[in-house]
Amino acid sequence: MNVVHWSMRDCKAFSHPWAKMFQASNARTVLATRCLKRRHFVSKSRTPVKYASFSEVQQLQEKQFTGLTFPLQDLTRYLAPNLDTSCFCIFNPNRDDINKAERFFIPSRENVIDYYSSAVRMDHVPQLSLPEVCFLGRSNVGKSSLIKALFSLAPDVEVRVSKNPGHTKKMNFFKVGKFFTLVDMPGFGYRAPKDFAEMVEPYLNHRPNLQRTFLLVDAQVGIQEIDNIAIEMLEEFGIPYVLVLTKIDKASKRVMAMNVLKIQDFVKEKTQVCFPQLFPVSSLYYSGIHILRCFIAHVAGYLPLSS
């Protein structure tokens, strides 16, 4: 498939789907952003937060354990009993699998986890042979916060998080030992980098070691028009991706259940290369983080499931 590289002139003329991301929902985003008076950065944290480690989660009672580890399965308690929820547990690791996966995210002398480099163009991207996964989503959906939560057992890894939308302006690469690389992509939509299309599209199409793209969607609002544009792009180019629902701690169970069902129907009816199971997460309380770590290690090729 030939890849077309788009300039900002093309984007302003709306001749490319990515261009809509620069203007869709600008008015409401500007209004919300005006409330963010102070810039807030979180970098290094010397003290891991409770439940960042799966060993702490395993000490919980069964109901709490399920809610924190498998938030999607826990949601079945709020759904009608006749609903088909088989897609809630397609990827269903056991405790041993999750423990094994966690070891990849614990730093040691032999397993160095750290920021590696950044790039603004494809010719600046580091030439790494390790399997890669990347995180993509609209501005302020919580990409950097999610990566920080994934690396919570490696507190010396510096992941910059801002409350201001559009803080990430480059592709940021984080190496997980000798195993795989996580890539934090710039956000699309409001305050996206001017060369967003030229930066992201060639990477998605030409990175040979890219194993999976994680597209983040806000659990409070579900799939928006701007998310649909990204989905259409991934589908067009046949890039395997997964939908991650962020900020589930801010969504009521009713709202989350409604959005999950809508998104599951959307995935079933309108996608071809999207993994059929959703991954709801809370970067604040670590809900869903442990199973997501497990899935990342699995798609990177380092964790065959024992069950």
Side-chain angles (χ1 to χ4, degrees):
M1 180 181 294
N2 293 329
V3 178
V4 180
H5 300 283
W6 298 88
S7 67
M8 278 306 295
R9 181 179 301 173
D10 297 322
C11 289
K12 289 177 181 177
F14 283 91
S15 59
H16 187 274
W18 285 113
K20 298 178 185 178
M21 296 181 179
F22 294 99
Q23 299 190 21
S25 68
N26 255 11
R28 63 176 180 270
T29 311
V30 169
L31 181 62
T33 308
R34 286 174 181 168
C35 298
L36 302 175
K37 303 286 187 181
R38 296 171 55 195
R39 197 164 189 173
H40 176 65
F41 290 102
V42 179
S43 56
K44 296 183 180 181
S45 172
R46 293 287 177 180
T47 307
V49 180
K50 192 175 184 181
Y51 303 137
S53 171
F54 190 58
S55 61
E56 297 169 324
V57 178
Q58 291 186 97
Q59 298 175 24
L60 296 172
Q61 295 181 353
E62 190 63 27
K63 182 179 177 181
Q64 292 175 299
F65 171 83
T66 302
L68 195 66
T69 310
F70 303 102
L72 191 61
Q73 295 180 29
D74 183 62
L75 200 62
T76 57
R77 298 190 292 123
Y78 303 90
L79 302 176
N82 60 335
L83 285 174
D84 180 13
T85 57
S86 57
C87 56
F88 283 22
C89 53
I90 296 171
F91 181 75
N92 192 29
N94 59 30
R95 297 189 183 209
D96 187 48
D97 295 325
I98 297 174
N99 272 312
K100 289 178 181 177
E102 186 172 277
R103 296 170 193 163
F104 292 103
F105 291 87
I106 298 175
S108 65
R109 183 174 298 179
E110 294 76 27
N111 187 43
V112 178
I113 302 173
D114 207 353
Y115 163 80
Y116 185 75
S117 70
S118 297
V120 294
R121 295 198 308 269
M122 192 61 185
D123 55 355
H124 292 171
V125 168
Q127 299 304 307
L128 301 171
S129 58
L130 299 177
E132 273 180 13
V133 295
C134 77
F135 292 81
L136 184 67
R138 64 175 176 82
S139 299
N140 209 36
V141 76
K143 295 183 308 301
S144 299
S145 295
L146 175 57
I147 292 177
K148 184 175 179 64
L150 290 169
F151 287 144
S152 56
L153 301 177
D156 286 334
V157 177
E158 186 172 0
V159 182
R160 300 189 74 188
V161 180
S162 173
K163 287 186 176 180
N164 285 345
H167 168 66
T168 303
K169 299 295 186 183
K170 302 177 181 179
M171 298 181 285
N172 297 316
F173 293 76
F174 299 86
K175 284 186 68 176
V176 181
K178 299 178 181 178
F179 302 105
F180 48 87
T181 306
L182 272 66
V183 188
D184 184 8
M185 308 293 281
F188 52 76
Y190 178 70
R191 292 189 67 186
K194 293 181 179 180
D195 53 352
F196 178 88
E198 294 91 334
M199 187 189 315
V200 173
E201 188 176 304
Y203 171 85
L204 293 175
N205 278 281
H206 298 302
R207 192 65 166 172
N209 51 334
L210 179 61
Q211 301 300 309
R212 200 68 54 114
T213 296
F214 292 82
L215 179 61
L216 278 56
V217 174
D218 192 329
Q220 302 171 95
V221 297
I223 295 177
Q224 301 294 290
E225 178 185 355
I226 199 168
D227 301 314
N228 261 320
I229 298 169
I231 290 171
E232 289 170 5
M233 188 66 61
L234 294 167
E235 289 286 332
E236 178 184 346
F237 292 126
I239 300 168
Y241 64 102
V242 183
L243 291 177
V244 178
L245 303 185
T246 61
K247 306 180 182 181
I248 64 172
D249 51 282
K250 296 183 179 180
S252 68
K253 294 294 184 182
R254 182 188 65 83
V255 169
M256 185 175 161
M258 179 179 65
N259 286 332
V260 162
L261 293 178
K262 285 182 180 179
I263 295 172
Q264 291 282 191
D265 288 342
F266 175 89
V267 169
K268 183 178 180 180
E269 297 171 6
K270 298 186 177 181
T271 69
Q272 298 293 325
V273 291
C274 181
F275 189 71
Q277 179 176 325
L278 307 179
F279 286 84
V281 297
S282 166
S283 301
L284 183 62
Y285 298 110
Y286 297 95
S287 302
I289 295 297
H290 308 91
I291 188 175
L292 187 58
R293 285 178 182 150
C294 195
F295 187 74
I296 291 170
H298 179 66
V299 297
Y302 289 101
L303 187 69
L305 298 187
S306 56
S307 58

